Amino acid sequence: MRITTVLLSAAAFTACAAGMSPDASAETLTPQAAERFVMGRTFSYSCYEGTVGSGRVLKDGSVAGTIQVRGKGNARYVTLPAGTVQTSSEKVCAKLKGVAFQPCFELEKTAGDAFRGNLAGFDQMWCEFKRGGSGRTRLVERARKTSDTGTKTAQIDGVH
């Protein structure tokens, strides 16, 4: 796995800072606002080079989720230990074993349930995140779309 993919994977799971996006309606997030928006919630993501997955950042700074590098092969379940995500009053960074520098992230809220994040200083290395992403969430969304289109679903009566 290339170092940029590792960093983007970390960004995908840990992005919680301020951002840069070409969308004029986007809202730059402070580290504290990003923390409130992201922590404890599941987000699905897709990155500029095709990497996709979903993940959750927990309050202790640990991370858990899936990643499919460049959108190929099997998705892998990944966990990162407590303290991986480190938020200060000025920035949010990731502490990753084996990485010679501490990557920090820039974020912008692009919708009520979405944000775009990039590796600080590298606007071309971005991931887009949308709230949701667990299998259960996707099933609920699919069920809503089906009911909105008028498709009928069989009902099973309870056994007495």
Side-chain angles (χ1 to χ4, degrees):
M1 200 180 309
R2 292 184 354 207
I3 188 70
T4 56
T5 302
V6 170
L7 293 176
L8 279 172
S9 300
F13 294 136
T14 64
C16 300
M20 299 176 79
S21 171
D23 185 354
S25 65
E27 171 190 342
T28 299
L29 296 172
T30 66
Q32 295 72 30
E35 210 171 49
R36 288 188 301 272
F37 185 69
V38 174
M39 294 291 189
R41 294 188 173 105
T42 301
F43 286 85
S44 58
Y45 64 91
S46 60
C47 300
Y48 76 99
E49 89 309 357
T51 296
V52 296
S54 66
R56 179 184 300 233
V57 180
L58 302 175
K59 292 190 186 285
D60 66 357
S62 63
V63 180
T66 62
I67 184 170
Q68 186 178 29
V69 178
R70 294 190 182 132
K72 298 177 183 175
N74 294 327
R76 297 180 192 174
Y77 182 73
V78 178
T79 59
L80 299 170
T84 297
V85 177
Q86 299 179 342
T87 306
S88 73
S89 62
E90 298 173 5
K91 58 188 174 182
V92 173
C93 300
K95 184 176 181 181
L96 300 170
K97 216 177 209 181
V99 177
F101 67 99
Q102 188 174 37
C104 295
F105 308 99
E106 299 172 336
L107 282 176
E108 230 172 349
K109 186 175 176 181
T110 56
D113 64 348
F115 66 97
R116 181 179 174 115
N118 63 278
L119 191 59
F122 295 92
D123 293 346
Q124 70 278 13
M125 297 174 70
W126 52 265
C127 294
E128 295 198 8
F129 303 82
K130 182 169 177 152
R131 198 169 282 157
S134 69
R136 184 176 299 159
T137 302
R138 285 193 299 269
L139 287 174
V140 169
E141 286 176 1
R142 194 176 304 147
R144 283 186 190 142
K145 286 180 186 174
T146 302
S147 65
D148 291 345
T149 61
T151 305
K152 294 189 178 184
T153 304
Q155 298 294 320
I156 300 173
D157 293 327
V159 177
H160 299 285

